[in-house]
């Protein structure tokens, strides 16, 4: 008797989502799902890269290359759907604007083939489009009958006009625990270090941090505020220098560029306070990284952040775009090393309990196997 090919009985899922580059929260989480041994052991996964940009500078720009990448990904999706019968399709979707119009055809293709669909949102903004006739019609077509994975229940009001609560599942982001065991902390005992880590975008609160630093300088505080991240079309190195010079804070506010791996870990290790007053975010991975490094965190009450940071317990929550309140919160921590240590310790405990990569994988497994 001839030996037949071994039958793989794992459920088969077509996964469509953005993969890096560029590096941002959505692409990083999609890549971690793609590379997860925990998930791959349980499913047969086929992947299509939904991203049409290959750098932060390309985001929001139009080009022939991006049109070609879109067409290539769409044809690849059709090829998979024609060749294979999928138990369900997983799509990391943009829920608003031109990004939604780009992603919607992938969802509709899966539905045309009769496949059950799980939509994973790493973004928000649907509420700004829901009253536009074309968008409202298309949103109902795309989201109707689909399961929707949100990063936080705090993000539900943004989609409540289109998506029922029964459709929603919640899966917070998680990151690997990758602090080297040999890491040592060499903090300057005379100058406190404030760390901001993100691509340089106004929506991440960069200008608000500049203004807060000016306030702290006027109050007589001595500190170094380090900005780590990539330049963008909004804020490049030249604008960074101009903004800090105009505020007379260039001696205490420095831009050190992108940092990865051990170099990024060193920035966290040498910091005393982490600040992130974003006003356009859902569930920032960088806050999880700061928690992993036991840093006290000052951040805004934006998106799903209130699910991450408990005010006055694992960090300090401030309103966005308010440099005075941000400066007040930072000054509390500059004045009290003991409070910094306490907030940082509790933040680390919450990270280990809720936001590790394994916790994310377990939550995603539940989402991918849930009834549709």
């Amino acid at each position: 008797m001839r030996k037949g090919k071994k039958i793989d009985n794992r459920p088969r899922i077509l996964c469509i989502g953005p993969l890096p580059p560029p590096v941002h929260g959505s692409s990083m989480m999609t890549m971690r799902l793609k590379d997860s041994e925990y998930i791959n052991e349980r499913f047969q996964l086929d992947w299509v890269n939904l991203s049409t940009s290959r750098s932060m500078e390309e985001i929001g720009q139009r080009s022939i290359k991006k049109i070609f990448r879109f067409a290539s990904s769409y044809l690849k999706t059709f090829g998979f759907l024609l060749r294979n019968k999928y138990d369900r399709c997983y799509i990391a979707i943009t829920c608003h604007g031109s990004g939604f119009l780009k992603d919607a055809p992938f969802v509709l293709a899966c539905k045309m083939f009769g496949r059950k669909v799980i939509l994973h949102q790493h973004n928000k903004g649907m509420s700004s489009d829901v009253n536009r006739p074309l968008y409202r019609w298309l949103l109902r077509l795309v989201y109707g009958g689909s399961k929707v994975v949100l990063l936080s229940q705090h993000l539900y009001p943004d989609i409540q006009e289109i998506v029922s609560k029964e459709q929603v599942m919640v899966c917070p982001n998680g990151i690997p625990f990758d602090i080297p065991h040999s890491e040592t902390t060499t903090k300057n005992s005379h100058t406190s270090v404030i760390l901001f880590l993100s691509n340089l975008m106004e929506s991440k609160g960069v200008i608000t941090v500049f203004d807060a630093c000016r306030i702290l300088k006027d109050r007589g505080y001595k500190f170094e505020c380090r900005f780590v991240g990539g330049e963008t079309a909004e804020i490049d190195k030249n604008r960074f220098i101009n903004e800090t010079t105009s505020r007379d804070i260039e001696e205490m506010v420095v831009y050190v560029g992108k940092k990865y791996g051990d170099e990024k870990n060193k920035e966290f290790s040498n910091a005393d306070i982490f600040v992130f007053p974003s006003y356009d975010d859902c569930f920032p991975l960088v806050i999880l990284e700061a928690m992993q490094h036991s840093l006290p965190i000052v951040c805004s009450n934006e998106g799903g952040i209130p699910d991450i940071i408990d005010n006055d317990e694992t960090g300090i929550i401030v309103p966005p775009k308010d440099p005075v309140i941000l400066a007040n919160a930072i000054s509390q921590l500059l004045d009290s090393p003991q409070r910094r240590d306490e907030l940082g310790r509790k933040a680390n405990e919450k990270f280990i309990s809720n936001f590790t990569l394994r916790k994310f994988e377990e939550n995603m497994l539940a989402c991918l196997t849930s009834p549709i």
Side-chain angles (χ1 to χ4, degrees), residues 76-121:
K76 186 176 181 180
T77 298
F78 253 90
F80 276 135
L81 290 167
L82 285 168
R83 291 193 304 270
N84 304 305
K85 184 174 181 180
Y86 292 99
D87 294 273
R88 53 194 59 193
C89 296
Y90 165 90
I91 304 167
I93 191 174
T94 300
C95 69
H96 67 97
S98 59
F100 170 70
L101 297 180
K102 174 181 71 71
D103 295 351
F106 291 87
V107 182
L108 297 179
C110 294
K111 290 191 171 187
M112 185 176 68
F113 279 83
R115 302 296 169 244
K116 297 176 180 179
V117 173
I118 299 172
L119 301 175
H120 194 171
Q121 287 192 192

Side-chain angles (χ1 to χ4, degrees), residues 35-46:
D35 293 342
S36 169
E37 292 184 9
Y38 183 84
I39 296 296
N40 280 281
E41 286 175 355
R42 291 159 175 81
F43 303 101
Q44 301 177 73
L45 304 180
D46 292 321

Side-chain angles (χ1 to χ4, degrees), residues 231-242:
E231 299 177 64
T232 67
E234 287 184 353
I235 304 176
D236 59 12
K237 188 174 182 179
N238 288 331
R239 184 183 174 190
F240 186 99
I241 293 172
N242 291 336

Side-chain angles (χ1 to χ4, degrees), residues 172-299:
N173 285 334
I175 61 173
F177 195 92
D178 61 356
I179 300 177
H181 292 295
S182 60
E183 181 180 88
T184 57
T185 302
T186 56
K187 299 183 188 294
N188 187 322
S189 60
H190 301 289
T191 303
S192 296
V193 177
I194 302 167
L195 176 65
F196 174 95
L197 197 154
S198 178
N199 292 313
L200 300 183
M201 301 170 66
E202 291 189 14
S203 63
K204 303 299 182 184
V206 172
I207 304 301
T208 306
V209 177
F210 289 159
D211 290 337
C213 287
R214 174 66 209 196
I215 293 169
L216 291 169
K217 180 183 178 181
D218 289 344
R219 293 176 181 176
Y221 285 97
K222 304 296 182 183
F223 61 90
E224 179 183 12
C225 186
R226 294 176 65 82
F227 281 75
V228 179
E231 299 177 64
T232 67
E234 287 184 353
I235 304 176
D236 59 12
K237 188 174 182 179
N238 288 331
R239 184 183 174 190
F240 186 99
I241 293 172
N242 291 336
E243 295 282 358
T244 54
T245 302
S246 68
R247 292 168 174 79
D248 193 27
I249 55 174
E250 67 274 16
E251 291 185 0
M252 52 186 55
V253 178
V254 296
Y255 174 57
V256 298
K258 299 178 183 179
K259 300 290 182 182
Y260 299 103
D262 290 342
E263 287 189 337
K264 184 169 75 169
N265 281 331
K266 186 176 180 181
E267 292 289 343
F268 279 114
S269 175
N270 290 336
D272 296 285
I273 301 167
F274 181 77
V275 296
F276 194 70
S278 173
Y279 56 87
D280 186 16
D281 253 302
C282 287
F283 206 94
L285 298 180
V286 70
I287 294 180
L288 306 187
E289 292 179 291
M291 296 170 77
Q292 180 178 222
H293 285 264
S294 301
L295 282 176
I297 297 160
V298 181
C299 58

Side-chain angles (χ1 to χ4, degrees), residues 133-152:
L134 172 61
Y135 277 90
R136 190 174 187 88
W137 171 78
L138 194 54
L139 283 165
R140 291 192 182 280
L141 197 61
V142 167
Y143 281 82
S146 302
K147 281 287 190 177
V148 181
V149 181
L150 296 180
L151 306 178
S152 164

